[in-house]
Amino acid sequence: QVQLVESGGGLVQPGGSLRLSCAASELTLDAVTIGWFRQAPGKEREGVSCITSSDSSTRYANSVKGRFTISEDNAKHTLYLQMNSLKPEDTAVYYCAADFPPFYCIHTVPDSKFDLEFGSWGQGTQVTVSS
């Protein structure tokens, strides 16, 4: 099973940028569907962006479209999320994930589905957007 480790989170001001990284440890990231999710306090985890490794096709939640860019480096076994023009509502814990139904790329994920339908999750990295 692929082990995922996120990094790059932190505190930024509104309008600022961050780049998140998700490194696959020990194993090659060969999952067909990989992506980023986020969860704010009191809310369900939601899909932010996904990418299909085979053809590099991407999906974005409407709330981040035009501001976030997902990419991957297969040689480095790393997934990235470039976040620009950050807003306070982007504040959340961001998770990378692999091997899951593409439906969740732009939909919420009930807590009961975390382990049942997702092959791998990272531990999460906090992103806080505040002045």
Side-chain angles (χ1 to χ4, degrees), residues 10-34:
L11 173 65
V12 297
Q13 295 184 343
S17 298
L18 281 175
R19 188 183 72 166
L20 305 183
S21 299
C22 175
S25 301
E26 298 181 321
L27 301 176
T28 301
L29 185 59
D30 293 327
V32 175
T33 305
I34 54 178

Side-chain angles (χ1 to χ4, degrees), residues 53-75:
S53 298
S54 60
D55 59 7
S56 298
S57 62
T58 59
R59 299 184 190 184
Y60 295 92
N62 287 334
S63 60
V64 307
K65 198 171 299 182
R67 299 187 297 120
F68 292 9
T69 302
I70 190 171
S71 63
E72 65 174 336
D73 187 331
N74 288 329

